[in-house]
Amino acid sequence: MLKDVTFGQYYPGKSLLHRTDPRIKLLILIEYLVFVLIASTELAMAATLLFTVFLVSVSGVRFGILIKSVKPLLFVLIFTAIINLFFTSGEGDPLFAWKFIKIYENGIRNAVFMLLRLVSLVLGTSVIVSFTTSPLQLTDAIESLLGPLKRIKVPVHEFAMMMSIALRFIPTLIEETNKIISAQKARCADFESGNVINRLKALIPILIPLFVSAVRRAEELADAMECRCYHGGEGRTKLKVMKAKAGDYIFLLVVTLVTVAIFFLDRITWSEAIGFCRDIFSK
Amino acid sequence: MANALEVKGVSVIYGEGTPFRKAALNNISTVFPQGEITGIIGHTGSGKSTLASLLNGLAKPTEGEILLFGESIWAKPKEMKKIRSRVGLVFQYPEYQLFDETVESDIAFGPKNLGLDEIEIKKRIRLAADFCGLSDKELKKSPFELSGGQKRRAAIAGVLAMRPEVLVLDEPAAGLDPKGREEILQGLTEYKKEFGATLLIISHSMEDIAKYADRILVMKEGEIFMQGGVEEIFMQAEKLFDANLDLPQITKLFIELKKRSICQSTDVYTVGYAKKEIEKALSR
Amino acid sequence: MSFIEARGIGFAYSPEEEKVINGIDLKIEKGSYVAILGHNGCGKSTLAKLLCGILLPTEGQILVDGLDTADDSLAFDIRKKCGMVFQNPDNQLVASIVEEDIAFAPENLGLPREEIRARVDAALKTVGMEEYADHATYKLSGGQKQRIAIAGILAMSPECIVFDEATAMLDPSGRKEIVAAMKRLNKEIGITVITITHYMNEAVEADRIIVMSGGEIIGDGRPEEIFSEVERLQSASLAVPQVTELLYLLEQDGHDLPRGILHAMDAADVLETYIGGHKNG
């Protein structure tokens, strides 16, 4: 169950997206999120999908892994699609009606759009950031982008360090949780039956050992960090200095143009687009 | 003697039908006779721990069957709780499962889950504490105040309190000093004697296994590499050595002495036996 | 002057509690390979933490290369000189990627980028993990994780590394990897190695063994000397290597065999000569 979660996992590689400056990637991600969410016409959606396919293909992440990252969300995806399908009321006659269930043309459209949007969101976020950026690069990028806030005494370094350590310990704690669950099951613990209160109570033998162990880990880690001369962010240098290259800026520019293009595509309909093309060709 | 557990053609396969197909266990068959201690050894990833989690139904084999006194443990999946109380499983570093306010109530967790009455639970706690060498004072303490060795014993007591007929232990003595190892393994041996229980001890330490086990099962790459009585296995000590297993130092000495044709036996695994062999060589 | 010098140190976790370390005087020379041996709870891990300044003695004084660990202004210099590898491999890796983890200490030291790169590469090479530079740390085996932890300390260019039961949670092959690494660090790079353990077969690899019991030092000497006193070790809840015990038992029965033999090969030599001589004589 827990072992199928691929969120936040980094897959080492040397693809275009792996090489792109993580700060640029974060900015690209923001733009990407914007146009995925605004695309509401067929044209805009088609362009969005095309760009997502482009991102996936330059990420060098294996297809199987991508499928795995969408799989845990399958239920959410189907659920959202169904909600949209049945609960969108449209103008005119329903395409299908049986008792209280009515499906309108608009409903199908909304369901398909929502599905495509969610899949694009998951795939895009995965390939732009989580699969191609190591957690440390990511937190470095956040630290750097939020850097100006240090002047008004926001503890940006501490926040970034905490985040990177949290990411580092996610797999360890998932593994530990599974071990504790097995150990308590071997003592005949029952997590599956009874009412809500009983089920919550049944979690105590899992949560307490997990909490105790997390505290112990934190103490040991603090000692280990101190041993390695950690003394906060002051005077710290970096192995991987982020240096945005010309290519990175071009990439950002391209995505910005795509965003603008999609923004305009979203304003026009098919017939307008065809008319526009005809105008260009006739000139 | 009857067989407490029987493993019949068991395989555990991950990712069947994908390029990542991996057999953690490959068509394993063996028996664990009642009232005996079987030592299970092998490298990390040889399938020892996978086998352990099958024996009390925590995991289900892809193929094959596991019989507890002749009955498949998966015959009635709804009654798995009962199987788990009959086949106790102690994981590696079991102290990480301790959670309750006192050692006493932590040990009571298993018996309570079985729905036993107060008097019986009290009895069980007493019994488990005795075998694990925990004093009354320690029973009243919080499990988090105990020393490392005491925590380990408290955790094992938590499984013993269910009074299992079969007890599977994954590295019960890992990380303990010689005295701590001795105390735990001695207590387990006594439990076995008292209740005619069957013990399976998974360990990397050939020295401990040689000292306490009646039989040895050697696993290698998801298969059974060797199995038999302790002496029988150590007769082929060179084979174990070639499989890169960590032999007792004394056995290594006798393999070397055989090479130099000073002593002939290689099935030497305790210091006492070694001394007799040397004395024999001297009197020849 | 000795590299580490402990003068009459005592330690208790709080004033009400019993002392864990009780009046220890100790000198450790530069470039030596020392094993501190003792049963669980004898105070050996506490001693290790005192020696590299993670804990401060409640009595007495510890000097690391002449620097007093109690002096707060020197803490940084002491840590640079004396690193520590801990027991649990999972709880000392800071970053998710191998090379990022190893870079942690040199980054804290504020070294220039090129220097960090050079140190990371050198440290990876020393522990034989070059091809894992961009791997995720959590997917490694226990032994590999511990080797990364060692590399993380090595990147500080310390003069001394203290291993606090660094092999206790590993399987036999992982344990061998780490012992081999310790030997290499000491013999090839000249780093002072102090290893805390209760495994006899690891202690015998050292040049000097210090035996602890009840917060005190009860034995200090070369491995052969230490292990020739079988009763004393057994009274401190420690075992001796099996071949040592065998020769000791034979000697007690009046056989003329040397004490303090630690390795199977040496024991085979001794027994070959003795049995051969016995037959001829």
Side-chain angles (χ1 to χ4, degrees):
Chain A
M1 158 182 75
L2 285 166
K3 65 176 184 278
D4 291 331
V5 178
T6 55
F7 172 76
Q9 283 191 16
Y10 169 61
Y11 290 89
K14 297 227 174 333
S15 75
L16 176 64
L17 276 170
H18 281 90
R19 280 177 288 135
T20 306
D21 185 298
R23 287 167 301 181
I24 301 282
K25 278 197 273 192
L26 278 181
L27 296 176
I28 290 177
L29 179 67
I30 293 170
E31 293 184 338
Y32 179 81
L33 294 181
V34 167
F35 68 68
V36 168
L37 292 174
I38 62 164
S40 60
T41 65
E42 287 83 355
L43 261 179
M45 187 47 88
T48 304
L49 290 178
L50 210 65
F51 192 69
T52 309
V53 170
F54 164 74
L55 285 175
V56 168
S57 62
V58 295
S59 71
V61 178
R62 277 207 320 272
F63 195 66
I65 292 168
L66 287 173
I67 296 293
K68 236 175 137 186
S69 74
V70 181
K71 230 163 116 189
L73 297 170
L74 210 59
F75 174 74
V76 178
L77 292 178
I78 293 171
F79 184 73
T80 332
I82 289 176
I83 293 277
N84 274 286
L85 192 61
F86 292 127
F87 294 93
T88 313
S89 55
E91 288 156 24
D93 296 325
L95 293 176
F96 173 87
W98 180 76
K99 289 187 180 168
F100 60 91
I101 296 173
K102 292 192 180 76
I103 295 176
Y104 295 89
E105 195 185 324
N106 229 351
I108 297 179
R109 190 177 178 279
N110 276 1
V112 171
F113 262 67
M114 198 42 98
L115 206 62
L116 291 176
R117 207 170 275 156
L118 286 176
V119 171
S120 299
L121 276 183
V122 174
L123 288 182
T125 318
S126 304
V127 297
I128 299 173
V129 180
S130 48
F131 286 164
T132 59
T133 319
S134 78
L136 206 70
Q137 279 180 323
L138 185 64
T139 47
D140 278 356
I142 293 173
E143 188 178 348
S144 163
L145 286 176
L146 298 181
L149 292 180
K150 274 183 196 165
R151 285 203 203 122
I152 53 164
K153 305 264 180 221
V154 178
V156 175
H157 167 77
E158 285 72 12
F159 171 72
M161 184 51 101
M162 264 158 43
M163 197 171 135
S164 86
I165 288 174
L167 285 169
R168 141 79 185 83
F169 274 91
I170 286 174
T172 310
L173 289 177
I174 287 179
E175 203 185 303
E176 174 132 45
T177 313
N178 284 331
K179 268 192 207 155
I180 295 172
I181 292 176
S182 297
Q184 306 300 27
K185 268 192 185 163
R187 293 209 275 167
C188 296
D190 191 349
F191 305 118
E192 274 117 31
S193 55
N195 58 24
V196 181
I197 294 179
N198 279 340
R199 281 191 197 200
L200 284 176
K201 260 192 187 162
L203 290 179
I204 292 173
I206 298 173
L207 295 179
I208 290 182
L210 197 61
F211 182 72
V212 170
S213 130
V215 171
R216 184 177 42 85
R217 283 179 193 282
E219 280 173 359
E220 287 183 29
L221 186 71
D223 272 350
M225 285 171 70
E226 215 177 302
C227 253
R228 289 163 77 181
C229 295
Y230 181 67
H231 57 110
E234 215 171 302
R236 223 171 164 258
T237 48
K238 291 275 162 79
L239 166 68
K240 289 175 182 160
V241 180
M242 287 176 294
K243 222 177 180 179
K245 296 175 292 289
D248 292 327
Y249 289 116
I250 295 172
F251 196 1
L252 182 63
L253 188 70
V254 169
V255 182
T256 312
L257 290 177
V258 171
T259 313
V260 174
I262 289 177
F263 193 71
F264 279 112
L265 282 178
D266 207 44
R267 310 276 121 175
I268 56 174
T269 59
W270 269 113
S271 51
E272 279 170 337
I274 293 166
F276 181 69
C277 289
R278 206 178 285 147
D279 281 354
I280 292 176
F281 281 114
S282 61
K283 268 180 191 170
Chain B
M1 193 75 84
N3 289 327
L5 272 176
E6 193 173 347
V7 177
K8 267 170 110 179
V10 161
S11 297
V12 172
I13 293 156
Y14 297 121
E16 181 67 278
T18 71
F20 310 107
R21 182 184 187 279
K22 192 179 168 276
L25 287 178
N26 199 356
N27 195 15
I28 295 230
S29 295
T30 187
V31 292
F32 299 104
Q34 191 189 357
E36 291 199 352
I37 301 183
T38 306
I40 303 178
I41 58 167
H43 291 292
T44 307
S46 62
K48 301 171 295 185
S49 299
T50 311
L51 180 63
S53 62
L54 294 178
L55 299 177
N56 75 342
L58 272 179
K60 200 175 177 180
T62 323
E63 275 164 40
E65 267 194 312
I66 289 158
L67 308 179
L68 176 62
F69 291 103
E71 242 176 277
S72 167
I73 61 166
W74 286 95
K76 292 174 193 149
K78 289 225 166 108
E79 288 178 24
M80 201 41 99
K81 229 175 169 178
K82 212 168 166 193
I83 299 289
R84 286 185 191 148
S85 73
R86 295 178 64 196
V87 183
L89 177 54
V90 178
F91 283 91
Q92 214 171 350
Y93 302 110
E95 52 272 32
Y96 295 154
Q97 75 191 26
L98 297 171
F99 71 96
D100 223 327
E101 275 169 57
T102 64
V103 174
E104 197 171 20
S105 52
D106 201 289
I107 296 176
F109 182 66
K112 264 189 198 153
N113 288 334
L114 293 176
L116 299 175
D117 62 54
E118 282 288 317
I119 302 164
E120 182 63 21
I121 292 177
K122 279 259 149 58
K123 253 205 240 158
R124 297 278 181 103
I125 295 172
R126 189 68 272 150
L127 173 123
D130 282 347
F131 283 113
C132 295
L134 293 165
S135 67
D136 282 340
K137 205 175 132 208
E138 281 152 6
L139 282 178
K140 299 286 177 218
K141 277 191 185 173
S142 154
F144 304 110
E145 286 171 18
L146 302 179
S147 76
Q150 290 169 330
K151 270 186 199 164
R152 179 74 53 85
R153 280 184 267 143
I156 294 177
V159 175
L160 278 191
M162 298 192 298
R163 212 192 280 165
E165 296 153 57
V166 180
L167 189 55
V168 186
L169 302 116
D170 195 349
E171 294 278 0
L176 298 182
D177 61 27
K179 195 174 152 223
R181 302 174 88 87
E182 188 90 28
E183 282 169 355
I184 283 188
L185 293 167
Q186 201 57 50
L188 290 170
T189 314
E190 273 160 31
Y191 175 80
K192 180 209 90 164
K193 273 193 208 137
E194 180 106 14
F195 293 97
T198 310
L199 255 56
L200 276 63
I201 300 179
I202 299 174
S203 177
H204 285 299
S205 166
M206 269 288 210
E207 290 184 21
D208 285 349
I209 287 198
K211 209 160 156 190
Y212 291 97
D214 305 304
R215 295 179 69 253
I216 294 183
L217 182 74
V218 187
M219 306 268 306
K220 197 183 168 190
E221 288 157 16
E223 290 179 17
I224 292 173
F225 181 59
M226 289 163 90
Q227 59 179 324
V230 175
E231 274 133 66
E232 204 180 316
I233 295 291
F234 273 97
M235 293 270 220
Q236 311 168 57
E238 285 114 323
K239 195 174 165 190
L240 292 171
F241 190 73
D242 292 339
N244 222 349
L245 286 159
D246 210 36
L247 286 182
Q249 194 193 23
I250 205 87
T251 312
K252 285 188 207 157
L253 169 66
F254 276 80
I255 291 178
E256 183 62 26
L257 289 178
K258 187 183 177 187
K259 268 192 211 151
R260 303 187 187 185
S261 34
I262 298 165
C263 280
Q264 287 319 306
S265 8
T266 60
D267 60 333
V268 179
Y269 48 85
T270 60
V271 175
Y273 187 11
K275 192 173 162 239
K276 276 189 203 129
E277 282 296 313
I278 297 289
E279 280 163 352
K280 235 197 293 177
L282 282 168
S283 62
R284 257 202 299 269
Chain C
M1 196 179 60
S2 308
F3 181 65
I4 294 181
E5 198 173 336
R7 293 177 185 159
I9 53 165
F11 182 80
Y13 280 95
S14 70
E16 307 91 60
E17 277 176 72
E18 229 178 296
K19 272 196 244 173
V20 200
I21 298 288
N22 208 346
I24 286 186
D25 285 294
L26 181 65
K27 280 182 182 174
I28 291 174
E29 302 308 319
K30 201 167 205 148
S32 57
Y33 183 177
V34 183
I36 301 180
L37 194 62
H39 59 85
N40 290 116
C42 70
K44 57 189 194 299
S45 281
T46 308
L47 180 64
K49 287 187 177 130
L50 287 167
L51 291 182
C52 52
I54 298 183
L55 291 175
L56 297 178
T58 40
E59 285 163 32
Q61 191 186 31
I62 295 175
L63 300 178
V64 177
D65 208 8
L67 308 174
D68 190 339
T69 59
D71 187 342
D72 227 16
S73 65
L74 299 173
F76 207 67
D77 296 301
I78 291 170
R79 291 203 182 112
K80 260 197 290 190
K81 284 178 194 289
C82 190
M84 190 157 177
V85 176
F86 296 82
Q87 182 176 12
N88 191 332
D90 277 320
N91 297 354
Q92 50 188 320
L93 300 180
V94 185
S96 311
I97 302 298
V98 168
E99 61 177 4
E100 290 173 1
D101 184 79
I102 298 172
F104 185 70
E107 286 177 344
N108 289 332
L109 296 175
L111 298 174
R113 217 191 99 179
E114 303 71 39
E115 173 71 14
I116 299 179
R117 182 81 259 167
R119 284 193 181 193
V120 169
D121 292 343
L124 273 171
K125 201 165 166 231
T126 310
V127 298
M129 296 278 292
E130 301 103 307
E131 66 267 47
Y132 289 91
D134 62 354
H135 281 232
T137 45
Y138 84 95
K139 282 185 180 160
L140 303 175
S141 73
Q144 288 173 327
K145 280 181 193 164
Q146 262 334 36
R147 272 149 74 193
I148 297 306
I150 295 174
I153 295 296
L154 271 179
M156 281 195 312
S157 294
E159 290 170 52
C160 170
I161 301 183
V162 181
F163 293 84
D164 184 11
E165 300 205 47
T167 60
M169 294 183 80
L170 305 179
D171 62 7
S173 59
R175 218 174 280 156
K176 275 181 207 150
E177 285 169 37
I178 301 310
V179 174
M182 285 183 206
K183 268 174 145 174
R184 197 160 54 237
L185 294 180
N186 180 254
K187 302 286 178 266
E188 288 171 23
I189 314 180
I191 289 177
T192 311
V193 171
I194 302 174
T195 172
I196 315 290
T197 183
H198 57 242
Y199 290 109
M200 306 307 131
N201 41 2
E202 283 171 26
V204 299
E205 302 292 340
D207 301 326
R208 174 181 169 194
I209 296 181
I210 294 168
V211 187
M212 282 191 67
S213 184
E216 290 171 29
I217 292 177
I218 59 159
D220 185 348
R222 296 192 56 75
E224 307 86 73
E225 291 163 17
I226 293 293
F227 286 118
S228 60
E229 297 178 63
V230 176
E231 304 100 334
R232 192 185 198 172
L233 286 169
Q234 285 172 343
S235 73
S237 319
L238 289 168
V240 294
Q242 285 182 317
V243 294
T244 318
E245 194 183 344
L246 171 66
L247 293 177
Y248 168 78
L249 290 175
L250 287 167
E251 193 220 352
Q252 293 286 299
D253 280 0
H255 293 284
D256 182 23
L257 287 163
R259 281 187 168 200
I261 297 291
L262 310 172
H263 300 280
M265 281 300 168
D266 298 339
D269 290 343
V270 166
L271 286 169
E272 186 175 22
T273 327
Y274 185 68
I275 294 174
H278 202 80
K279 275 179 190 157
N280 298 335

